[in-house]
Amino acid sequence: MLNSRGVSTRRLAAAVDITQGRLYDYMNGKSRVEKLALFEQIADAFHIPGHLLGLARRTWEPAAVPEHQRTDHPPPDGDDLAAMDHFRNADRQTGGGRLYGAVVRHLTDQVAPRLVATASGPQVFAAAAALTEMAGWMAHDSGQDDLAGLHFARALPLARTSGDLPLAAHVAASSSHLALQTGDPAAAVEWARTGLDLATQGPKIPALTARLYTMQARALAAAEQHAPAASALEAAQRDLEGGADAEHPRLSPFDAAALASESALILRDLERLDDALQHAEQAVALRETGRARSLALRQISLVDIQVRRRELDAAVHAAHALLSTSPTLGSVRLVQQLDELRRLLEQHKAYRPVREYLVRFDDARRARMLLLADLIPPSPGGKPV
């Protein structure tokens, strides 16, 4: 992977003043990077922005825009929305692992004091809810699902207090996703139903109800309730395709690409692999390259479905795109799904193209784990989990 990005191990070793042998020890998991200075040298040598490696802004980076320093005059609602947009856009590019702390600090320093200020209105509670939910997603992306659950649990009453019912429904959808990811499809179904109940009490936002029906369908499919799952998926498609455009500034977008991606997973679990493949290919085609993590997750789903269809040549071809995913993308969730995909491919290693691909996959994984050592602690055996 390093070579494909124009960086040889010799150049990397020279840039940080270590031997190639020591670099190989880091990449193979025989030694662990203990000094922050090593990451700083990598950032400065190759002009990697500090935030991508969990570092402070480097001296050669443009100066950051100063934040509000006073809380006695609450900043306008637009500043909160701008902050959410900045965090959301950065998360799409770099993953939530290295942004979680920044979101929590913003909540603590800029939002929390205004919750008790007499001049504040309901919009402050809405901002707190939206940013708290965002922190939950970033915790989830960091592999900290218990912490994510706490954030979602705190975001819901904040959203209710603000009177923003679509936002409360949006938080319920996030809780549904988390419940499914942690192996509780029954709870995921209930959260989706809660969200739909909340959504019907507020203004009609087709993208929001489509997301909630999709979460409901995924949970029902995981619970092997095939007919209700298919019905919920049809409702999601109907809402997103037939509803008038309506935007809500605090909700994460749910578009045709997102629906295609979720539909592929639902149809896979419903064992409708031909339909699942069609939606997986559509999801990859629709997702713009600027959203690195989202695109990688969709590529993983595509390869997964191709393997289940025993289309191994197509799976290996599609899987090669994953090797170019940025090794600095701070998403533990992505690493976990890549590892799950490897276990699936391992079952077919008797086929030479799969076996050769797994060698390249493991090389790429070692490079990734080297650069994510600050996010993924080593296992008791001394290697990153």
Side-chain angles (χ1 to χ4, degrees), residues 68-83:
H68 289 278
Q69 298 297 318
R70 299 180 60 186
T71 59
D72 52 337
H73 298 291
D77 188 44
D79 285 9
D80 291 323
L81 296 176

PDB file of all heavy atoms in Angstrom, residues 68-83:
ATOM      1  N   HIS A  68     -15.115  31.230  19.254  1.00  0.00           N
ATOM      2  CA  HIS A  68     -15.647  32.192  20.236  1.00  0.00           C
ATOM      3  C   HIS A  68     -14.984  31.943  21.586  1.00  0.00           C
ATOM      4  O   HIS A  68     -14.872  30.815  22.038  1.00  0.00           O
ATOM      5  CB  HIS A  68     -17.165  32.020  20.387  1.00  0.00           C
ATOM      6  CG  HIS A  68     -17.917  32.490  19.188  1.00  0.00           C
ATOM      7  ND1 HIS A  68     -18.234  33.795  18.957  1.00  0.00           N
ATOM      8  CD2 HIS A  68     -18.393  31.786  18.124  1.00  0.00           C
ATOM      9  CE1 HIS A  68     -18.909  33.901  17.815  1.00  0.00           C
ATOM     10  NE2 HIS A  68     -19.015  32.692  17.296  1.00  0.00           N
ATOM     11  N   GLN A  69     -14.548  33.002  22.227  1.00  0.00           N
ATOM     12  CA  GLN A  69     -13.873  32.856  23.511  1.00  0.00           C
ATOM     13  C   GLN A  69     -14.771  33.208  24.681  1.00  0.00           C
ATOM     14  O   GLN A  69     -14.422  32.951  25.825  1.00  0.00           O
ATOM     15  CB  GLN A  69     -12.623  33.756  23.535  1.00  0.00           C
ATOM     16  CG  GLN A  69     -11.596  33.383  22.470  1.00  0.00           C
ATOM     17  CD  GLN A  69     -11.038  31.990  22.682  1.00  0.00           C
ATOM     18  OE1 GLN A  69     -10.743  31.594  23.816  1.00  0.00           O
ATOM     19  NE2 GLN A  69     -10.890  31.240  21.615  1.00  0.00           N
ATOM     20  N   ARG A  70     -15.937  33.831  24.409  1.00  0.00           N
ATOM     21  CA  ARG A  70     -16.798  34.259  25.510  1.00  0.00           C
ATOM     22  C   ARG A  70     -18.100  33.480  25.461  1.00  0.00           C
ATOM     23  O   ARG A  70     -18.598  33.126  24.403  1.00  0.00           O
ATOM     24  CB  ARG A  70     -17.095  35.757  25.403  1.00  0.00           C
ATOM     25  CG  ARG A  70     -15.842  36.633  25.468  1.00  0.00           C
ATOM     26  CD  ARG A  70     -16.208  38.096  25.353  1.00  0.00           C
ATOM     27  NE  ARG A  70     -17.105  38.511  26.426  1.00  0.00           N
ATOM     28  CZ  ARG A  70     -17.651  39.714  26.481  1.00  0.00           C
ATOM     29  NH1 ARG A  70     -17.420  40.601  25.554  1.00  0.00           N
ATOM     30  NH2 ARG A  70     -18.448  40.014  27.484  1.00  0.00           N
ATOM     31  N   THR A  71     -18.659  33.229  26.657  1.00  0.00           N
ATOM     32  CA  THR A  71     -19.949  32.530  26.745  1.00  0.00           C
ATOM     33  C   THR A  71     -21.036  33.400  27.361  1.00  0.00           C
ATOM     34  O   THR A  71     -22.159  32.951  27.506  1.00  0.00           O
ATOM     35  CB  THR A  71     -19.797  31.261  27.595  1.00  0.00           C
ATOM     36  OG1 THR A  71     -19.345  31.620  28.912  1.00  0.00           O
ATOM     37  CG2 THR A  71     -18.811  30.295  26.966  1.00  0.00           C
ATOM     38  N   ASP A  72     -20.692  34.664  27.732  1.00  0.00           N
ATOM     39  CA  ASP A  72     -21.730  35.507  28.309  1.00  0.00           C
ATOM     40  C   ASP A  72     -22.667  36.038  27.229  1.00  0.00           C
ATOM     41  O   ASP A  72     -23.806  36.401  27.511  1.00  0.00           O
ATOM     42  CB  ASP A  72     -21.108  36.687  29.082  1.00  0.00           C
ATOM     43  CG  ASP A  72     -20.098  37.468  28.251  1.00  0.00           C
ATOM     44  OD1 ASP A  72     -19.557  36.890  27.279  1.00  0.00           O
ATOM     45  OD2 ASP A  72     -19.857  38.650  28.580  1.00  0.00           O
ATOM     46  N   HIS A  73     -22.174  36.067  25.963  1.00  0.00           N
ATOM     47  CA  HIS A  73     -23.034  36.408  24.839  1.00  0.00           C
ATOM     48  C   HIS A  73     -23.088  35.196  23.927  1.00  0.00           C
ATOM     49  O   HIS A  73     -22.176  34.971  23.132  1.00  0.00           O
ATOM     50  CB  HIS A  73     -22.483  37.616  24.075  1.00  0.00           C
ATOM     51  CG  HIS A  73     -22.421  38.862  24.920  1.00  0.00           C
ATOM     52  ND1 HIS A  73     -23.547  39.531  25.355  1.00  0.00           N
ATOM     53  CD2 HIS A  73     -21.365  39.544  25.423  1.00  0.00           C
ATOM     54  CE1 HIS A  73     -23.194  40.587  26.070  1.00  0.00           C
ATOM     55  NE2 HIS A  73     -21.873  40.612  26.137  1.00  0.00           N
ATOM     56  N   PRO A  74     -24.106  34.398  24.036  1.00  0.00           N
ATOM     57  CA  PRO A  74     -24.148  33.154  23.262  1.00  0.00           C
ATOM     58  C   PRO A  74     -24.032  33.419  21.765  1.00  0.00           C
ATOM     59  O   PRO A  74     -24.653  34.337  21.238  1.00  0.00           O
ATOM     60  CB  PRO A  74     -25.533  32.567  23.602  1.00  0.00           C
ATOM     61  CG  PRO A  74     -25.919  33.216  24.897  1.00  0.00           C
ATOM     62  CD  PRO A  74     -25.323  34.582  24.859  1.00  0.00           C
ATOM     63  N   PRO A  75     -23.195  32.640  21.068  1.00  0.00           N
ATOM     64  CA  PRO A  75     -23.074  32.820  19.628  1.00  0.00           C
ATOM     65  C   PRO A  75     -24.376  32.436  18.940  1.00  0.00           C
ATOM     66  O   PRO A  75     -25.181  31.692  19.474  1.00  0.00           O
ATOM     67  CB  PRO A  75     -21.945  31.855  19.243  1.00  0.00           C
ATOM     68  CG  PRO A  75     -21.891  30.857  20.347  1.00  0.00           C
ATOM     69  CD  PRO A  75     -22.322  31.582  21.570  1.00  0.00           C
ATOM     70  N   PRO A  76     -24.600  32.937  17.733  1.00  0.00           N
ATOM     71  CA  PRO A  76     -25.851  32.632  17.040  1.00  0.00           C
ATOM     72  C   PRO A  76     -25.930  31.167  16.673  1.00  0.00           C
ATOM     73  O   PRO A  76     -24.939  30.455  16.594  1.00  0.00           O
ATOM     74  CB  PRO A  76     -25.770  33.522  15.782  1.00  0.00           C
ATOM     75  CG  PRO A  76     -24.309  33.763  15.579  1.00  0.00           C
ATOM     76  CD  PRO A  76     -23.726  33.817  16.963  1.00  0.00           C
ATOM     77  N   ASP A  77     -27.187  30.739  16.399  1.00  0.00           N
ATOM     78  CA  ASP A  77     -27.424  29.345  16.058  1.00  0.00           C
ATOM     79  C   ASP A  77     -26.614  28.918  14.848  1.00  0.00           C
ATOM     80  O   ASP A  77     -26.192  27.777  14.739  1.00  0.00           O
ATOM     81  CB  ASP A  77     -28.919  29.151  15.791  1.00  0.00           C
ATOM     82  CG  ASP A  77     -29.295  27.697  15.605  1.00  0.00           C
ATOM     83  OD1 ASP A  77     -28.818  26.867  16.384  1.00  0.00           O
ATOM     84  OD2 ASP A  77     -30.066  27.405  14.682  1.00  0.00           O
ATOM     85  N   GLY A  78     -26.372  29.848  13.923  1.00  0.00           N
ATOM     86  CA  GLY A  78     -25.612  29.525  12.723  1.00  0.00           C
ATOM     87  C   GLY A  78     -24.220  29.030  13.029  1.00  0.00           C
ATOM     88  O   GLY A  78     -23.661  28.215  12.278  1.00  0.00           O
ATOM     89  N   ASP A  79     -23.610  29.500  14.108  1.00  0.00           N
ATOM     90  CA  ASP A  79     -22.273  29.040  14.477  1.00  0.00           C
ATOM     91  C   ASP A  79     -22.303  27.574  14.875  1.00  0.00           C
ATOM     92  O   ASP A  79     -21.379  26.818  14.567  1.00  0.00           O
ATOM     93  CB  ASP A  79     -21.716  29.888  15.622  1.00  0.00           C
ATOM     94  CG  ASP A  79     -21.259  31.263  15.140  1.00  0.00           C
ATOM     95  OD1 ASP A  79     -21.533  31.597  13.978  1.00  0.00           O
ATOM     96  OD2 ASP A  79     -20.634  31.992  15.934  1.00  0.00           O
ATOM     97  N   ASP A  80     -23.346  27.147  15.580  1.00  0.00           N
ATOM     98  CA  ASP A  80     -23.477  25.735  15.947  1.00  0.00           C
ATOM     99  C   ASP A  80     -23.641  24.876  14.700  1.00  0.00           C
ATOM    100  O   ASP A  80     -23.042  23.810  14.581  1.00  0.00           O
ATOM    101  CB  ASP A  80     -24.675  25.534  16.878  1.00  0.00           C
ATOM    102  CG  ASP A  80     -24.461  26.146  18.252  1.00  0.00           C
ATOM    103  OD1 ASP A  80     -23.319  26.096  18.749  1.00  0.00           O
ATOM    104  OD2 ASP A  80     -25.435  26.669  18.817  1.00  0.00           O
ATOM    105  N   LEU A  81     -24.456  25.347  13.762  1.00  0.00           N
ATOM    106  CA  LEU A  81     -24.659  24.595  12.526  1.00  0.00           C
ATOM    107  C   LEU A  81     -23.378  24.517  11.718  1.00  0.00           C
ATOM    108  O   LEU A  81     -23.072  23.478  11.120  1.00  0.00           O
ATOM    109  CB  LEU A  81     -25.777  25.246  11.695  1.00  0.00           C
ATOM    110  CG  LEU A  81     -27.167  25.251  12.329  1.00  0.00           C
ATOM    111  CD1 LEU A  81     -28.150  26.021  11.440  1.00  0.00           C
ATOM    112  CD2 LEU A  81     -27.664  23.830  12.556  1.00  0.00           C
ATOM    113  N   ALA A  82     -22.613  25.606  11.712  1.00  0.00           N
ATOM    114  CA  ALA A  82     -21.337  25.597  10.990  1.00  0.00           C
ATOM    115  C   ALA A  82     -20.372  24.608  11.622  1.00  0.00           C
ATOM    116  O   ALA A  82     -19.656  23.872  10.918  1.00  0.00           O
ATOM    117  CB  ALA A  82     -20.736  26.998  10.974  1.00  0.00           C
ATOM    118  N   ALA A  83     -20.349  24.568  12.956  1.00  0.00           N
ATOM    119  CA  ALA A  83     -19.475  23.615  13.646  1.00  0.00           C
ATOM    120  C   ALA A  83     -19.865  22.184  13.310  1.00  0.00           C
ATOM    121  O   ALA A  83     -18.995  21.330  13.059  1.00  0.00           O
ATOM    122  CB  ALA A  83     -19.541  23.847  15.159  1.00  0.00           C
TER     123      ALA A  83
END
